[in-house]
Amino acid sequence: MTISKARLGFIAFGAATLAALTAAGAAQAAGPMAGDAGRGKTVFARCAACHDLNTGAVRMGPSLKGIIGRKAGSVANFGYSTAMKTKGVTWAPDTLDAFLTGPMKYVPGTRMAFPGLSNPQERADVIAYLKQSAK
């Protein structure tokens, strides 16, 4: 069987496209995408009305100072819902990503009246900002 150069080129193109799509899918399945802390600061402006980032002050929501590595529902002097106190999660980029996607879905019964961030890049950006700024 003889394959023409044009057909061979088409097969090679198809194989390269399939490999690129497979690699992109694997990268996406690996976890949250890389975020940009500069853009995350802009996204965080939506959170700042209720959450302090650096002083530890409790507002309408708990302080996010030191959020990465902290157990959910553990800030003193904040009245968490039972659902948040008993969630048993430690905040890390992957758990924050899941929570920020849909807070009420991730922690049914939470008091956080925020619908979530549907854009995965915005979530990655705000998580990058929290990692950099909420120390």
Side-chain angles (χ1 to χ4, degrees):
M1 180 167 124
T2 305
I3 299 176
S4 71
K5 286 184 180 181
R7 177 163 255 199
L8 187 59
F10 180 74
I11 292 170
F13 173 76
T17 301
L18 180 60
L21 290 173
T22 301
Q28 187 174 20
M33 61 182 62
D36 178 277
R39 288 191 311 249
K41 183 176 183 178
T42 302
V43 177
F44 184 78
R46 299 181 218 171
C47 313
C50 297
H51 296 281
D52 170 72
L53 185 59
N54 292 310
T55 68
V58 172
R59 296 183 183 163
M60 185 174 273
S63 173
L64 299 181
K65 181 177 183 175
I67 185 77
I68 305 295
R70 186 171 74 206
K71 188 177 184 302
S74 64
V75 171
N77 301 322
F78 184 77
Y80 289 99
S81 65
T82 300
M84 185 63 79
K85 287 191 281 190
T86 60
K87 179 66 177 173
V89 68
T90 297
W91 296 122
D94 61 332
T95 54
L96 283 168
D97 183 66
F99 180 69
L100 292 172
T101 299
M104 291 170 237
K105 183 176 180 183
Y106 189 72
V107 183
T110 185
R111 292 189 189 125
M112 185 164 147
F114 179 71
L117 296 170
S118 61
N119 183 314
Q121 186 62 60
E122 286 186 343
R123 290 193 309 272
D125 292 344
V126 80
I127 291 167
Y129 179 64
L130 289 172
K131 285 169 65 176
Q132 173 186 297
S133 303
K135 297 179 181 181

